[in-house]
Amino acid sequence: VPFLTKDKEKLEKGCYVFVPGLRKAVLEGNEDIKAYIIKGGEATQISLSIGGLTPDEKKVLAAGCLINYYRPEA
């Protein structure tokens, strides 16, 4: 996901970013997405955004990738 953030100084090599409810946030076009940086057993909340995406781009991201987007339904 092409995240944008103003909290980039909090991101360091070796940390993890946990984004609860990401699929829903992408599909709804939320401008502010709450996420957490996990490092050393500590969680720090940050704010992310995904910028302006077209409806099709949102669907591709929600599917996980372009291959999944075009995969026929079973």
Side-chain angles (χ1 to χ4, degrees):
V1 177
F3 288 123
L4 303 171
T5 185
K6 294 180 181 176
D7 296 324
K8 64 182 179 183
E9 69 279 349
K10 294 179 182 178
L11 294 169
E12 300 175 15
K13 185 176 181 179
C15 65
Y16 295 91
V17 178
F18 173 63
V19 188
L22 176 59
R23 184 175 191 279
K24 181 179 176 189
V26 167
L27 288 174
E28 291 177 353
N30 295 351
E31 291 187 22
D32 185 41
I33 301 170
K34 300 293 181 212
Y36 300 90
I37 296 173
I38 312 295
K39 184 167 183 175
E42 299 289 323
T44 305
Q45 185 173 324
I46 62 169
S47 181
L48 302 173
S49 68
I50 52 174
L53 298 175
T54 67
D56 285 338
E57 290 170 331
K58 291 176 188 177
K59 290 176 188 174
V60 169
L61 286 175
C65 66
L66 196 56
I67 291 172
N68 288 345
Y69 177 73
Y70 284 115
R71 183 177 66 193
E73 295 293 321

